[in-house]
Amino acid sequence: MDMNLPTVRLYNTYSRSRQELKPLADGVVRIYSCGPTVYRYVHVGNLRTFMLPDLLRRSLEYLGYETRQFMNITDVGHLTDDTFDRGEDKMLVSARLENKSTEEIAAYYTDAFMDDVRKINIRPAAGYPRATDHITQMLELIEKLIAKGHAYVIDGNVYFDIASFPSYGRLSRNTTDKLLTGVRGEPDPRKRHPGDFTLWKAAGEHRLQVWPSPWGEGFPGWHIECSAMSLSLLGERFDIHTGGADNVFPHHEAEIAQSEAVTGHRVVSLWMHGGLLMLSGSRMAKSAGNFFRITELEEQGFDPLAFRYLALQARYRAPLNFSTEGLAGADRALRHLREKVEEWSGGGDGAVSEEWDSRFRAAIADDLDMPAVMALVAELTRSSMTPAGKAALLKRWDGVLGLDLDRAAAPLPAEASRLLEARERARQAKDFAESDRLRDRLASLGVTVIDTPDGQRIKR
């Protein structure tokens, strides 16, 4: 490793400890990230997961490392119950409900995903491999697993034999006994062990996405996709694999078994998992129907980057409680910070303080300690440093924060400011007819007013 690069310590889910990052290639950190399944819109909980590799890359690059990241697009659908391969394929359900082909569904939701990640300044990966483009690699991998005695074929289905891989369960701390808990209904009688997972599934009737294979027509299991794509894009050893806490089991556990059974050695040096987004104490999930898209928050008058600001308040591994009150607070704080940066940017000594910057670098090198970084930002704003020096530092740190701190708010037209004040007075006087009239006047000036418990919020 380049001796000039600072030491970075990251929490490895596999070892349950922080460990020093030691890139396999000098100064270049290679990262594979689990991306979206494109059968529906992503919600802000998913976006928090996708922020993890973005923060990781920005932090590493700030410290002088190079990064190379791939994020997969799952366009062969999961089954409804991913653990035990039951139920219907989500891609097919969406295709049927929306009366579109699976290709149209995947293309539409992939575009929506790309738009959503742009809104919160998640920078593009080096590539977005699609599962459907890697079927050949998946088939090769499955054939190798069968040849090595790690998989078996029954009725056109191929299953991974977890008994053949003794360390199965190491990532999630599951034992084979524990794997039986939560089995819905009767286990698949064709499997040697109920915890064995599907590598290739024989095509049933009405199956739209089907490929030929040595075992008959069918489609890949979810887990084999990431093994095939990561091995073919990053090689048999790479530095970091990221995903959400909900990917640990079964997905990443299965991925480790497949990749290591085929290569005979550790493939991933560090496994990093982002904490879940909680709404009223329960996990935000598509299946629970309790989720928001970033576009919905934007329609309510929030800056999408207010969500990024909110996410920076918590350690990436910790659950984050989401509420519109919390988001409103983040929105106000972000606007205030931008106003300060604009105010401080004029003239004066803009030299960056190396002492302050070294504190920032130490925080990001300590397992991406963003709460410490945000506390440092607050401390800096109150410090006795020159205004120009503060502005210069905050703009530099924004390379990691990604909050567009040098994006000054365009001033409202004087007429709009006057109308907003008049409308606030009308609302307090409960003159709702006048309040509605002023809202329409503001709309004609291009200013949409949204009423919230905290008062008026505007969207332009």
Side-chain angles (χ1 to χ4, degrees), residues 8 21 29 31 56-65 67:
V8 174
L21 173 66
V29 183
I31 304 162
L56 175 65
R57 286 178 58 209
R58 285 170 176 269
S59 297
L60 290 172
E61 288 169 21
Y62 193 90
L63 296 168
Y65 291 82
T67 66

Side-chain angles (χ1 to χ4, degrees), residues 22 90 104 161 172 174 220 269 273 297 310 336 368 384 445:
K22 294 179 178 173
K90 293 170 180 175
E104 286 171 324
D161 183 356
S172 59
N174 270 321
S269 302
H273 292 94
L297 302 180
L310 183 70
H336 179 68
L368 315 181
S384 57
L445 295 173

Side-chain angles (χ1 to χ4, degrees), residues 423-435:
R423 186 170 182 273
E424 189 55 49
R425 286 195 297 274
R427 271 168 47 95
Q428 284 169 358
K430 298 203 170 5
D431 184 348
F432 298 116
E434 175 67 359
S435 167

Side-chain angles (χ1 to χ4, degrees), residues 69-108:
Q69 179 212 8
F70 290 97
M71 177 176 280
N72 72 296
I73 303 284
T74 300
D75 57 355
V76 182
H78 294 185
L79 298 165
T80 303
D81 177 355
D82 298 321
T83 314
F84 287 96
D85 307 313
R86 296 190 178 283
E88 288 190 274
D89 184 313
K90 293 170 180 175
M91 289 288 288
L92 301 190
V93 172
S94 290
R96 190 171 68 242
L97 290 177
E98 299 186 32
N99 201 20
K100 292 177 180 167
S101 71
T102 51
E103 292 77 15
E104 286 171 324
I105 288 284
Y108 177 82

